[in-house]
Amino acid sequence: MENKRDGRQRRNISPGDAVRIVLKKDQRTGKLTDGIVKDILTNSSSHPHGIKVRLADGQIGRVQEFIEDA
């Protein structure tokens, strides 16, 4: 079984992480956007739809998965 970090747990996310997020406008389609975490916006320790973050380019969305270094 893969040891994947869970984007619904705040403790798994740090500024500088490479992640894929779903933007508010893309929630219906599930389209993911890649980026680097700048700020963590969710204050609670977990969120069922993913922790909300701001990317380095200013886009805001919920973490769906992590981009691991190959």
Side-chain angles (χ1 to χ4, degrees):
M1 189 170 137
E2 278 185 53
N3 185 10
K4 290 192 77 169
R5 292 192 288 172
D6 187 351
R8 294 172 301 194
Q9 299 295 322
R10 193 174 193 274
R11 67 175 179 266
N12 293 337
I13 303 169
S14 313
D17 284 348
V19 296
R20 290 193 173 98
I21 64 169
V22 62
L23 302 172
K24 184 78 174 172
K25 68 181 176 73
D26 295 330
Q27 281 178 345
R28 284 180 169 280
T29 63
K31 177 178 174 283
L32 298 179
T33 302
D34 294 3
I36 304 296
V37 175
K38 181 180 177 198
D39 302 306
I40 300 171
L41 304 177
T42 299
N43 288 323
S44 63
S45 63
S46 66
H47 190 284
H49 299 124
I51 297 298
K52 190 178 281 186
V53 297
R54 178 182 295 118
L55 299 181
D57 64 6
Q59 296 186 94
I60 294 174
R62 295 192 182 277
V63 174
Q64 300 301 302
E65 55 193 58
F66 290 87
I67 303 169
E68 304 298 341
D69 293 333

